Amino acid sequence: MRTALIVVAVLAAAVVVDVISGVLVRRVARGRYQWLLEPLRHACRRPAAAALLVGALYYALPLGPAGWQHHLRHFLLVALVLSGAWLVIRALHVAEAVAFSRLPGDAVASRRVRRARTQIRPVRRLTVAVVTIVAIGLILITFRPVRLFGVSVLT
């Protein structure tokens, strides 16, 4: 019963934080950062809600004996790492899209635009690969038998 109350409270908190962040972004986005904040909020809405929900559940569940609560907390920790990586990767995709939208669209600058696109895409792909590798390393560290392998992946 207590766990169900925690889940309901965390869901309600996630909805409230989403609504408040939407209001704040709309107020700030009226100014000069609308081109960045609106796409960022739209793209990162689900990953941020997932990270908030999983993080709150992880910290709300009590530390219990080595039973089902221990396994649930471990699962939530892995889900927290995955949702954090998902959030960062979505933000990187938004940064790439915003960078492309800020490039000039005229035919005179087409060579510069192609060169900029050629430079931006590999940087985003490299950062996504780094985020993915770090997330895999962090997940491996949470398992005792492969902890050293996870540390070696991170290094």
Side-chain angles (χ1 to χ4, degrees):
M1 180 67 178
R2 182 176 184 274
T3 307
L5 284 173
I6 291 172
V7 170
V8 169
V10 167
L11 284 173
V15 169
V16 167
V17 167
D18 183 49
V19 169
I20 290 173
S21 70
V23 169
L24 287 175
V25 164
R26 278 188 219 102
R27 288 196 185 232
V28 173
R30 277 192 230 154
R32 31 188 260 211
Y33 299 112
Q34 183 174 5
W35 55 272
L36 175 63
L37 292 178
E38 282 295 329
L40 190 63
R41 181 181 183 277
H42 180 70
C44 295
R45 192 173 183 178
R46 286 187 183 139
L52 178 69
L53 177 66
V54 172
L57 282 174
Y58 178 76
Y59 289 110
L61 286 177
L63 291 172
W68 66 272
Q69 286 180 340
H70 175 71
H71 296 299
L72 180 62
R73 283 184 62 85
H74 186 260
F75 171 76
L76 288 174
L77 181 62
V78 170
L80 183 62
V81 170
L82 288 175
S83 61
W86 182 28
L87 178 64
V88 171
I89 288 171
R90 290 296 296 247
L92 288 171
H93 282 282
V94 169
E96 179 190 30
V98 166
F100 286 163
S101 71
R102 304 291 282 182
L103 293 174
D106 57 351
V108 175
S110 66
R111 184 174 179 180
R112 286 186 298 163
V113 170
R114 286 195 314 264
R115 185 178 343 152
R117 285 182 188 265
T118 302
Q119 293 171 351
I120 291 171
R121 278 194 184 117
V123 169
R124 194 247 326 144
R125 288 179 182 153
L126 178 67
T127 54
V128 166
V130 167
V131 168
T132 304
I133 290 170
V134 167
I136 289 170
L138 288 173
I139 289 170
L140 289 176
I141 284 176
T142 64
F143 295 99
R144 278 194 194 273
V146 291
R147 182 169 287 161
L148 289 176
F149 184 67
V151 170
S152 66
V153 166
L154 285 176
T155 57

PDB file of all heavy atoms in Angstrom, residues 108-146:
ATOM      1  N   VAL A 108      23.942  31.387 -52.083  1.00  0.00           N
ATOM      2  CA  VAL A 108      25.306  31.909 -52.043  1.00  0.00           C
ATOM      3  C   VAL A 108      26.103  31.218 -50.938  1.00  0.00           C
ATOM      4  O   VAL A 108      27.276  30.905 -51.101  1.00  0.00           O
ATOM      5  CB  VAL A 108      25.290  33.440 -51.813  1.00  0.00           C
ATOM      6  CG1 VAL A 108      26.697  33.982 -51.643  1.00  0.00           C
ATOM      7  CG2 VAL A 108      24.566  34.124 -52.947  1.00  0.00           C
ATOM      8  N   ALA A 109      25.456  30.950 -49.827  1.00  0.00           N
ATOM      9  CA  ALA A 109      26.143  30.364 -48.673  1.00  0.00           C
ATOM     10  C   ALA A 109      26.037  28.848 -48.643  1.00  0.00           C
ATOM     11  O   ALA A 109      26.334  28.239 -47.627  1.00  0.00           O
ATOM     12  CB  ALA A 109      25.568  30.945 -47.394  1.00  0.00           C
ATOM     13  N   SER A 110      25.619  28.234 -49.759  1.00  0.00           N
ATOM     14  CA  SER A 110      25.371  26.800 -49.731  1.00  0.00           C
ATOM     15  C   SER A 110      26.637  25.988 -49.447  1.00  0.00           C
ATOM     16  O   SER A 110      26.573  24.961 -48.784  1.00  0.00           O
ATOM     17  CB  SER A 110      24.736  26.342 -51.039  1.00  0.00           C
ATOM     18  OG  SER A 110      25.648  26.498 -52.092  1.00  0.00           O
ATOM     19  N   ARG A 111      27.763  26.452 -49.930  1.00  0.00           N
ATOM     20  CA  ARG A 111      29.000  25.711 -49.665  1.00  0.00           C
ATOM     21  C   ARG A 111      29.362  25.779 -48.184  1.00  0.00           C
ATOM     22  O   ARG A 111      29.750  24.782 -47.581  1.00  0.00           O
ATOM     23  CB  ARG A 111      30.125  26.288 -50.512  1.00  0.00           C
ATOM     24  CG  ARG A 111      31.396  25.512 -50.365  1.00  0.00           C
ATOM     25  CD  ARG A 111      32.439  26.011 -51.309  1.00  0.00           C
ATOM     26  NE  ARG A 111      33.662  25.249 -51.108  1.00  0.00           N
ATOM     27  CZ  ARG A 111      34.748  25.450 -51.781  1.00  0.00           C
ATOM     28  NH1 ARG A 111      34.781  26.362 -52.723  1.00  0.00           N
ATOM     29  NH2 ARG A 111      35.820  24.737 -51.534  1.00  0.00           N
ATOM     30  N   ARG A 112      29.209  26.958 -47.592  1.00  0.00           N
ATOM     31  CA  ARG A 112      29.471  27.096 -46.156  1.00  0.00           C
ATOM     32  C   ARG A 112      28.473  26.292 -45.331  1.00  0.00           C
ATOM     33  O   ARG A 112      28.821  25.712 -44.309  1.00  0.00           O
ATOM     34  CB  ARG A 112      29.419  28.562 -45.743  1.00  0.00           C
ATOM     35  CG  ARG A 112      30.628  29.344 -46.189  1.00  0.00           C
ATOM     36  CD  ARG A 112      30.603  30.729 -45.639  1.00  0.00           C
ATOM     37  NE  ARG A 112      29.411  31.412 -46.163  1.00  0.00           N
ATOM     38  CZ  ARG A 112      28.896  32.510 -45.646  1.00  0.00           C
ATOM     39  NH1 ARG A 112      29.437  33.056 -44.586  1.00  0.00           N
ATOM     40  NH2 ARG A 112      27.835  33.062 -46.178  1.00  0.00           N
ATOM     41  N   VAL A 113      27.229  26.249 -45.788  1.00  0.00           N
ATOM     42  CA  VAL A 113      26.201  25.487 -45.076  1.00  0.00           C
ATOM     43  C   VAL A 113      26.518  24.002 -45.131  1.00  0.00           C
ATOM     44  O   VAL A 113      26.408  23.299 -44.116  1.00  0.00           O
ATOM     45  CB  VAL A 113      24.802  25.787 -45.662  1.00  0.00           C
ATOM     46  CG1 VAL A 113      23.763  24.836 -45.113  1.00  0.00           C
ATOM     47  CG2 VAL A 113      24.413  27.225 -45.381  1.00  0.00           C
ATOM     48  N   ARG A 114      26.896  23.514 -46.286  1.00  0.00           N
ATOM     49  CA  ARG A 114      27.259  22.096 -46.397  1.00  0.00           C
ATOM     50  C   ARG A 114      28.453  21.760 -45.510  1.00  0.00           C
ATOM     51  O   ARG A 114      28.498  20.711 -44.866  1.00  0.00           O
ATOM     52  CB  ARG A 114      27.547  21.732 -47.848  1.00  0.00           C
ATOM     53  CG  ARG A 114      26.308  21.621 -48.706  1.00  0.00           C
ATOM     54  CD  ARG A 114      26.611  20.917 -50.019  1.00  0.00           C
ATOM     55  NE  ARG A 114      27.823  21.379 -50.692  1.00  0.00           N
ATOM     56  CZ  ARG A 114      27.870  22.280 -51.663  1.00  0.00           C
ATOM     57  NH1 ARG A 114      26.752  22.831 -52.087  1.00  0.00           N
ATOM     58  NH2 ARG A 114      29.011  22.627 -52.210  1.00  0.00           N
ATOM     59  N   ARG A 115      29.431  22.650 -45.476  1.00  0.00           N
ATOM     60  CA  ARG A 115      30.596  22.410 -44.632  1.00  0.00           C
ATOM     61  C   ARG A 115      30.214  22.424 -43.150  1.00  0.00           C
ATOM     62  O   ARG A 115      30.683  21.589 -42.376  1.00  0.00           O
ATOM     63  CB  ARG A 115      31.656  23.463 -44.883  1.00  0.00           C
ATOM     64  CG  ARG A 115      32.909  23.118 -44.095  1.00  0.00           C
ATOM     65  CD  ARG A 115      34.081  24.046 -44.272  1.00  0.00           C
ATOM     66  NE  ARG A 115      34.059  24.916 -45.402  1.00  0.00           N
ATOM     67  CZ  ARG A 115      34.663  26.093 -45.431  1.00  0.00           C
ATOM     68  NH1 ARG A 115      35.329  26.522 -44.382  1.00  0.00           N
ATOM     69  NH2 ARG A 115      34.625  26.856 -46.500  1.00  0.00           N
ATOM     70  N   ALA A 116      29.348  23.345 -42.769  1.00  0.00           N
ATOM     71  CA  ALA A 116      28.907  23.402 -41.377  1.00  0.00           C
ATOM     72  C   ALA A 116      28.122  22.148 -41.005  1.00  0.00           C
ATOM     73  O   ALA A 116      28.306  21.581 -39.919  1.00  0.00           O
ATOM     74  CB  ALA A 116      28.054  24.644 -41.143  1.00  0.00           C
ATOM     75  N   ARG A 117      27.257  21.696 -41.893  1.00  0.00           N
ATOM     76  CA  ARG A 117      26.508  20.463 -41.626  1.00  0.00           C
ATOM     77  C   ARG A 117      27.461  19.269 -41.516  1.00  0.00           C
ATOM     78  O   ARG A 117      27.268  18.397 -40.674  1.00  0.00           O
ATOM     79  CB  ARG A 117      25.483  20.209 -42.729  1.00  0.00           C
ATOM     80  CG  ARG A 117      24.289  21.102 -42.660  1.00  0.00           C
ATOM     81  CD  ARG A 117      23.308  20.757 -43.768  1.00  0.00           C
ATOM     82  NE  ARG A 117      22.237  21.716 -43.835  1.00  0.00           N
ATOM     83  CZ  ARG A 117      21.069  21.557 -43.239  1.00  0.00           C
ATOM     84  NH1 ARG A 117      20.825  20.476 -42.555  1.00  0.00           N
ATOM     85  NH2 ARG A 117      20.137  22.480 -43.331  1.00  0.00           N
ATOM     86  N   THR A 118      28.460  19.243 -42.369  1.00  0.00           N
ATOM     87  CA  THR A 118      29.428  18.155 -42.335  1.00  0.00           C
ATOM     88  C   THR A 118      30.212  18.167 -41.022  1.00  0.00           C
ATOM     89  O   THR A 118      30.606  17.118 -40.529  1.00  0.00           O
ATOM     90  CB  THR A 118      30.398  18.280 -43.521  1.00  0.00           C
ATOM     91  OG1 THR A 118      29.639  18.270 -44.727  1.00  0.00           O
ATOM     92  CG2 THR A 118      31.395  17.147 -43.553  1.00  0.00           C
ATOM     93  N   GLN A 119      30.414  19.333 -40.429  1.00  0.00           N
ATOM     94  CA  GLN A 119      31.143  19.419 -39.168  1.00  0.00           C
ATOM     95  C   GLN A 119      30.242  19.174 -37.960  1.00  0.00           C
ATOM     96  O   GLN A 119      30.707  18.648 -36.953  1.00  0.00           O
ATOM     97  CB  GLN A 119      31.809  20.787 -39.048  1.00  0.00           C
ATOM     98  CG  GLN A 119      32.913  20.989 -40.049  1.00  0.00           C
ATOM     99  CD  GLN A 119      33.418  22.417 -40.077  1.00  0.00           C
ATOM    100  OE1 GLN A 119      32.840  23.302 -39.459  1.00  0.00           O
ATOM    101  NE2 GLN A 119      34.504  22.636 -40.801  1.00  0.00           N
ATOM    102  N   ILE A 120      28.982  19.543 -38.046  1.00  0.00           N
ATOM    103  CA  ILE A 120      28.068  19.424 -36.902  1.00  0.00           C
ATOM    104  C   ILE A 120      27.629  17.974 -36.698  1.00  0.00           C
ATOM    105  O   ILE A 120      27.590  17.491 -35.564  1.00  0.00           O
ATOM    106  CB  ILE A 120      26.856  20.353 -37.078  1.00  0.00           C
ATOM    107  CG1 ILE A 120      27.296  21.812 -36.957  1.00  0.00           C
ATOM    108  CG2 ILE A 120      25.776  20.041 -36.049  1.00  0.00           C
ATOM    109  CD1 ILE A 120      26.222  22.808 -37.326  1.00  0.00           C
ATOM    110  N   ARG A 121      27.289  17.281 -37.770  1.00  0.00           N
ATOM    111  CA  ARG A 121      26.785  15.905 -37.633  1.00  0.00           C
ATOM    112  C   ARG A 121      27.766  14.954 -36.946  1.00  0.00           C
ATOM    113  O   ARG A 121      27.377  14.234 -36.034  1.00  0.00           O
ATOM    114  CB  ARG A 121      26.379  15.355 -38.994  1.00  0.00           C
ATOM    115  CG  ARG A 121      25.022  15.792 -39.409  1.00  0.00           C
ATOM    116  CD  ARG A 121      24.522  14.975 -40.584  1.00  0.00           C
ATOM    117  NE  ARG A 121      23.240  15.492 -41.009  1.00  0.00           N
ATOM    118  CZ  ARG A 121      23.010  16.026 -42.192  1.00  0.00           C
ATOM    119  NH1 ARG A 121      23.970  16.089 -43.089  1.00  0.00           N
ATOM    120  NH2 ARG A 121      21.818  16.482 -42.496  1.00  0.00           N
ATOM    121  N   PRO A 122      29.031  14.909 -37.354  1.00  0.00           N
ATOM    122  CA  PRO A 122      29.951  13.992 -36.648  1.00  0.00           C
ATOM    123  C   PRO A 122      30.156  14.340 -35.177  1.00  0.00           C
ATOM    124  O   PRO A 122      30.328  13.450 -34.351  1.00  0.00           O
ATOM    125  CB  PRO A 122      31.263  14.132 -37.425  1.00  0.00           C
ATOM    126  CG  PRO A 122      30.881  14.647 -38.747  1.00  0.00           C
ATOM    127  CD  PRO A 122      29.672  15.492 -38.538  1.00  0.00           C
ATOM    128  N   VAL A 123      30.119  15.627 -34.850  1.00  0.00           N
ATOM    129  CA  VAL A 123      30.275  16.015 -33.447  1.00  0.00           C
ATOM    130  C   VAL A 123      29.097  15.498 -32.636  1.00  0.00           C
ATOM    131  O   VAL A 123      29.274  14.952 -31.542  1.00  0.00           O
ATOM    132  CB  VAL A 123      30.415  17.549 -33.317  1.00  0.00           C
ATOM    133  CG1 VAL A 123      30.301  17.992 -31.870  1.00  0.00           C
ATOM    134  CG2 VAL A 123      31.728  18.008 -33.912  1.00  0.00           C
ATOM    135  N   ARG A 124      27.882  15.625 -33.167  1.00  0.00           N
ATOM    136  CA  ARG A 124      26.712  15.115 -32.457  1.00  0.00           C
ATOM    137  C   ARG A 124      26.764  13.598 -32.350  1.00  0.00           C
ATOM    138  O   ARG A 124      26.484  13.027 -31.294  1.00  0.00           O
ATOM    139  CB  ARG A 124      25.424  15.542 -33.164  1.00  0.00           C
ATOM    140  CG  ARG A 124      24.192  15.348 -32.300  1.00  0.00           C
ATOM    141  CD  ARG A 124      23.201  14.304 -32.725  1.00  0.00           C
ATOM    142  NE  ARG A 124      23.044  14.132 -34.132  1.00  0.00           N
ATOM    143  CZ  ARG A 124      22.824  12.952 -34.675  1.00  0.00           C
ATOM    144  NH1 ARG A 124      22.757  11.883 -33.937  1.00  0.00           N
ATOM    145  NH2 ARG A 124      22.667  12.815 -35.961  1.00  0.00           N
ATOM    146  N   ARG A 125      27.161  12.931 -33.418  1.00  0.00           N
ATOM    147  CA  ARG A 125      27.261  11.465 -33.370  1.00  0.00           C
ATOM    148  C   ARG A 125      28.312  11.011 -32.374  1.00  0.00           C
ATOM    149  O   ARG A 125      28.115  10.019 -31.657  1.00  0.00           O
ATOM    150  CB  ARG A 125      27.567  10.921 -34.762  1.00  0.00           C
ATOM    151  CG  ARG A 125      26.392  11.026 -35.697  1.00  0.00           C
ATOM    152  CD  ARG A 125      26.727  10.505 -37.063  1.00  0.00           C
ATOM    153  NE  ARG A 125      25.586  10.657 -37.949  1.00  0.00           N
ATOM    154  CZ  ARG A 125      25.672  10.793 -39.253  1.00  0.00           C
ATOM    155  NH1 ARG A 125      26.861  10.788 -39.844  1.00  0.00           N
ATOM    156  NH2 ARG A 125      24.592  10.934 -39.984  1.00  0.00           N
ATOM    157  N   LEU A 126      29.429  11.714 -32.323  1.00  0.00           N
ATOM    158  CA  LEU A 126      30.478  11.371 -31.366  1.00  0.00           C
ATOM    159  C   LEU A 126      29.995  11.578 -29.934  1.00  0.00           C
ATOM    160  O   LEU A 126      30.235  10.727 -29.072  1.00  0.00           O
ATOM    161  CB  LEU A 126      31.730  12.207 -31.629  1.00  0.00           C
ATOM    162  CG  LEU A 126      32.890  11.991 -30.670  1.00  0.00           C
ATOM    163  CD1 LEU A 126      33.456  10.586 -30.861  1.00  0.00           C
ATOM    164  CD2 LEU A 126      33.958  13.041 -30.887  1.00  0.00           C
ATOM    165  N   THR A 127      29.321  12.672 -29.673  1.00  0.00           N
ATOM    166  CA  THR A 127      28.830  12.913 -28.312  1.00  0.00           C
ATOM    167  C   THR A 127      27.759  11.911 -27.928  1.00  0.00           C
ATOM    168  O   THR A 127      27.697  11.493 -26.770  1.00  0.00           O
ATOM    169  CB  THR A 127      28.320  14.351 -28.151  1.00  0.00           C
ATOM    170  OG1 THR A 127      27.349  14.620 -29.162  1.00  0.00           O
ATOM    171  CG2 THR A 127      29.448  15.352 -28.238  1.00  0.00           C
ATOM    172  N   VAL A 128      26.913  11.510 -28.863  1.00  0.00           N
ATOM    173  CA  VAL A 128      25.914  10.470 -28.567  1.00  0.00           C
ATOM    174  C   VAL A 128      26.607   9.155 -28.248  1.00  0.00           C
ATOM    175  O   VAL A 128      26.212   8.441 -27.319  1.00  0.00           O
ATOM    176  CB  VAL A 128      24.924  10.320 -29.747  1.00  0.00           C
ATOM    177  CG1 VAL A 128      24.104   9.057 -29.622  1.00  0.00           C
ATOM    178  CG2 VAL A 128      24.000  11.522 -29.822  1.00  0.00           C
ATOM    179  N   ALA A 129      27.662   8.835 -28.993  1.00  0.00           N
ATOM    180  CA  ALA A 129      28.408   7.602 -28.713  1.00  0.00           C
ATOM    181  C   ALA A 129      29.068   7.662 -27.345  1.00  0.00           C
ATOM    182  O   ALA A 129      29.058   6.674 -26.591  1.00  0.00           O
ATOM    183  CB  ALA A 129      29.456   7.366 -29.802  1.00  0.00           C
ATOM    184  N   VAL A 130      29.608   8.814 -26.977  1.00  0.00           N
ATOM    185  CA  VAL A 130      30.238   8.955 -25.658  1.00  0.00           C
ATOM    186  C   VAL A 130      29.198   8.818 -24.550  1.00  0.00           C
ATOM    187  O   VAL A 130      29.435   8.130 -23.546  1.00  0.00           O
ATOM    188  CB  VAL A 130      30.991  10.303 -25.564  1.00  0.00           C
ATOM    189  CG1 VAL A 130      31.388  10.620 -24.136  1.00  0.00           C
ATOM    190  CG2 VAL A 130      32.205  10.282 -26.461  1.00  0.00           C
ATOM    191  N   VAL A 131      28.050   9.448 -24.717  1.00  0.00           N
ATOM    192  CA  VAL A 131      26.983   9.334 -23.710  1.00  0.00           C
ATOM    193  C   VAL A 131      26.533   7.885 -23.579  1.00  0.00           C
ATOM    194  O   VAL A 131      26.320   7.380 -22.469  1.00  0.00           O
ATOM    195  CB  VAL A 131      25.797  10.262 -24.066  1.00  0.00           C
ATOM    196  CG1 VAL A 131      24.573   9.953 -23.228  1.00  0.00           C
ATOM    197  CG2 VAL A 131      26.192  11.709 -23.889  1.00  0.00           C
ATOM    198  N   THR A 132      26.399   7.193 -24.698  1.00  0.00           N
ATOM    199  CA  THR A 132      25.984   5.789 -24.673  1.00  0.00           C
ATOM    200  C   THR A 132      27.017   4.917 -23.967  1.00  0.00           C
ATOM    201  O   THR A 132      26.670   4.061 -23.142  1.00  0.00           O
ATOM    202  CB  THR A 132      25.753   5.284 -26.106  1.00  0.00           C
ATOM    203  OG1 THR A 132      24.794   6.129 -26.751  1.00  0.00           O
ATOM    204  CG2 THR A 132      25.258   3.858 -26.111  1.00  0.00           C
ATOM    205  N   ILE A 133      28.291   5.133 -24.247  1.00  0.00           N
ATOM    206  CA  ILE A 133      29.342   4.349 -23.612  1.00  0.00           C
ATOM    207  C   ILE A 133      29.397   4.622 -22.113  1.00  0.00           C
ATOM    208  O   ILE A 133      29.551   3.702 -21.302  1.00  0.00           O
ATOM    209  CB  ILE A 133      30.696   4.611 -24.295  1.00  0.00           C
ATOM    210  CG1 ILE A 133      30.687   4.002 -25.690  1.00  0.00           C
ATOM    211  CG2 ILE A 133      31.852   4.063 -23.477  1.00  0.00           C
ATOM    212  CD1 ILE A 133      31.866   4.396 -26.543  1.00  0.00           C
ATOM    213  N   VAL A 134      29.249   5.884 -21.724  1.00  0.00           N
ATOM    214  CA  VAL A 134      29.237   6.212 -20.292  1.00  0.00           C
ATOM    215  C   VAL A 134      28.045   5.568 -19.606  1.00  0.00           C
ATOM    216  O   VAL A 134      28.164   5.028 -18.496  1.00  0.00           O
ATOM    217  CB  VAL A 134      29.261   7.744 -20.099  1.00  0.00           C
ATOM    218  CG1 VAL A 134      28.943   8.125 -18.664  1.00  0.00           C
ATOM    219  CG2 VAL A 134      30.608   8.302 -20.507  1.00  0.00           C
ATOM    220  N   ALA A 135      26.883   5.594 -20.248  1.00  0.00           N
ATOM    221  CA  ALA A 135      25.698   4.966 -19.655  1.00  0.00           C
ATOM    222  C   ALA A 135      25.895   3.462 -19.507  1.00  0.00           C
ATOM    223  O   ALA A 135      25.545   2.884 -18.465  1.00  0.00           O
ATOM    224  CB  ALA A 135      24.467   5.258 -20.510  1.00  0.00           C
ATOM    225  N   ILE A 136      26.469   2.831 -20.503  1.00  0.00           N
ATOM    226  CA  ILE A 136      26.726   1.385 -20.412  1.00  0.00           C
ATOM    227  C   ILE A 136      27.718   1.095 -19.288  1.00  0.00           C
ATOM    228  O   ILE A 136      27.528   0.154 -18.508  1.00  0.00           O
ATOM    229  CB  ILE A 136      27.225   0.843 -21.769  1.00  0.00           C
ATOM    230  CG1 ILE A 136      26.093   0.842 -22.784  1.00  0.00           C
ATOM    231  CG2 ILE A 136      27.812  -0.552 -21.622  1.00  0.00           C
ATOM    232  CD1 ILE A 136      26.528   0.562 -24.209  1.00  0.00           C
ATOM    233  N   GLY A 137      28.756   1.909 -19.182  1.00  0.00           N
ATOM    234  CA  GLY A 137      29.718   1.729 -18.099  1.00  0.00           C
ATOM    235  C   GLY A 137      29.092   1.910 -16.731  1.00  0.00           C
ATOM    236  O   GLY A 137      29.355   1.139 -15.796  1.00  0.00           O
ATOM    237  N   LEU A 138      28.234   2.913 -16.585  1.00  0.00           N
ATOM    238  CA  LEU A 138      27.564   3.133 -15.303  1.00  0.00           C
ATOM    239  C   LEU A 138      26.619   1.989 -14.960  1.00  0.00           C
ATOM    240  O   LEU A 138      26.499   1.601 -13.794  1.00  0.00           O
ATOM    241  CB  LEU A 138      26.807   4.458 -15.321  1.00  0.00           C
ATOM    242  CG  LEU A 138      27.671   5.717 -15.276  1.00  0.00           C
ATOM    243  CD1 LEU A 138      26.817   6.957 -15.470  1.00  0.00           C
ATOM    244  CD2 LEU A 138      28.446   5.787 -13.978  1.00  0.00           C
ATOM    245  N   ILE A 139      25.947   1.458 -15.955  1.00  0.00           N
ATOM    246  CA  ILE A 139      25.053   0.323 -15.706  1.00  0.00           C
ATOM    247  C   ILE A 139      25.862  -0.901 -15.300  1.00  0.00           C
ATOM    248  O   ILE A 139      25.484  -1.630 -14.376  1.00  0.00           O
ATOM    249  CB  ILE A 139      24.183   0.043 -16.938  1.00  0.00           C
ATOM    250  CG1 ILE A 139      23.151   1.161 -17.113  1.00  0.00           C
ATOM    251  CG2 ILE A 139      23.488  -1.309 -16.825  1.00  0.00           C
ATOM    252  CD1 ILE A 139      22.404   1.113 -18.416  1.00  0.00           C
ATOM    253  N   LEU A 140      26.989  -1.147 -15.973  1.00  0.00           N
ATOM    254  CA  LEU A 140      27.805  -2.309 -15.632  1.00  0.00           C
ATOM    255  C   LEU A 140      28.394  -2.208 -14.226  1.00  0.00           C
ATOM    256  O   LEU A 140      28.585  -3.222 -13.553  1.00  0.00           O
ATOM    257  CB  LEU A 140      28.915  -2.493 -16.663  1.00  0.00           C
ATOM    258  CG  LEU A 140      28.467  -2.974 -18.042  1.00  0.00           C
ATOM    259  CD1 LEU A 140      29.652  -3.011 -18.994  1.00  0.00           C
ATOM    260  CD2 LEU A 140      27.793  -4.320 -17.959  1.00  0.00           C
ATOM    261  N   ILE A 141      28.671  -0.992 -13.780  1.00  0.00           N
ATOM    262  CA  ILE A 141      29.216  -0.816 -12.432  1.00  0.00           C
ATOM    263  C   ILE A 141      28.217  -1.255 -11.370  1.00  0.00           C
ATOM    264  O   ILE A 141      28.609  -1.694 -10.290  1.00  0.00           O
ATOM    265  CB  ILE A 141      29.636   0.655 -12.235  1.00  0.00           C
ATOM    266  CG1 ILE A 141      30.937   0.911 -12.967  1.00  0.00           C
ATOM    267  CG2 ILE A 141      29.813   1.002 -10.766  1.00  0.00           C
ATOM    268  CD1 ILE A 141      31.394   2.338 -12.910  1.00  0.00           C
ATOM    269  N   THR A 142      26.934  -1.196 -11.663  1.00  0.00           N
ATOM    270  CA  THR A 142      25.933  -1.552 -10.654  1.00  0.00           C
ATOM    271  C   THR A 142      25.844  -3.053 -10.426  1.00  0.00           C
ATOM    272  O   THR A 142      25.267  -3.477  -9.429  1.00  0.00           O
ATOM    273  CB  THR A 142      24.543  -1.024 -11.044  1.00  0.00           C
ATOM    274  OG1 THR A 142      24.110  -1.658 -12.252  1.00  0.00           O
ATOM    275  CG2 THR A 142      24.560   0.481 -11.223  1.00  0.00           C
ATOM    276  N   PHE A 143      26.394  -3.861 -11.322  1.00  0.00           N
ATOM    277  CA  PHE A 143      26.383  -5.318 -11.160  1.00  0.00           C
ATOM    278  C   PHE A 143      27.733  -5.758 -10.596  1.00  0.00           C
ATOM    279  O   PHE A 143      28.774  -5.505 -11.205  1.00  0.00           O
ATOM    280  CB  PHE A 143      26.124  -6.009 -12.505  1.00  0.00           C
ATOM    281  CG  PHE A 143      24.771  -5.739 -13.071  1.00  0.00           C
ATOM    282  CD1 PHE A 143      24.600  -4.764 -14.050  1.00  0.00           C
ATOM    283  CD2 PHE A 143      23.668  -6.450 -12.645  1.00  0.00           C
ATOM    284  CE1 PHE A 143      23.359  -4.519 -14.588  1.00  0.00           C
ATOM    285  CE2 PHE A 143      22.421  -6.213 -13.175  1.00  0.00           C
ATOM    286  CZ  PHE A 143      22.261  -5.240 -14.143  1.00  0.00           C
ATOM    287  N   ARG A 144      27.712  -6.454  -9.478  1.00  0.00           N
ATOM    288  CA  ARG A 144      28.961  -6.869  -8.816  1.00  0.00           C
ATOM    289  C   ARG A 144      29.872  -7.727  -9.694  1.00  0.00           C
ATOM    290  O   ARG A 144      31.074  -7.474  -9.741  1.00  0.00           O
ATOM    291  CB  ARG A 144      28.648  -7.625  -7.530  1.00  0.00           C
ATOM    292  CG  ARG A 144      28.374  -6.734  -6.389  1.00  0.00           C
ATOM    293  CD  ARG A 144      28.414  -7.516  -5.074  1.00  0.00           C
ATOM    294  NE  ARG A 144      27.829  -6.726  -4.022  1.00  0.00           N
ATOM    295  CZ  ARG A 144      28.507  -5.858  -3.305  1.00  0.00           C
ATOM    296  NH1 ARG A 144      29.776  -5.692  -3.529  1.00  0.00           N
ATOM    297  NH2 ARG A 144      27.901  -5.162  -2.376  1.00  0.00           N
ATOM    298  N   PRO A 145      29.362  -8.745 -10.393  1.00  0.00           N
ATOM    299  CA  PRO A 145      30.290  -9.610 -11.153  1.00  0.00           C
ATOM    300  C   PRO A 145      31.037  -8.891 -12.278  1.00  0.00           C
ATOM    301  O   PRO A 145      32.134  -9.296 -12.639  1.00  0.00           O
ATOM    302  CB  PRO A 145      29.388 -10.700 -11.725  1.00  0.00           C
ATOM    303  CG  PRO A 145      28.171 -10.701 -10.886  1.00  0.00           C
ATOM    304  CD  PRO A 145      28.013  -9.296 -10.405  1.00  0.00           C
ATOM    305  N   VAL A 146      30.467  -7.833 -12.823  1.00  0.00           N
ATOM    306  CA  VAL A 146      31.108  -7.153 -13.958  1.00  0.00           C
ATOM    307  C   VAL A 146      31.501  -5.720 -13.609  1.00  0.00           C
ATOM    308  O   VAL A 146      31.677  -4.888 -14.493  1.00  0.00           O
ATOM    309  CB  VAL A 146      30.184  -7.173 -15.195  1.00  0.00           C
ATOM    310  CG1 VAL A 146      30.048  -8.559 -15.745  1.00  0.00           C
ATOM    311  CG2 VAL A 146      28.839  -6.559 -14.889  1.00  0.00           C
TER     312      VAL A 146
END
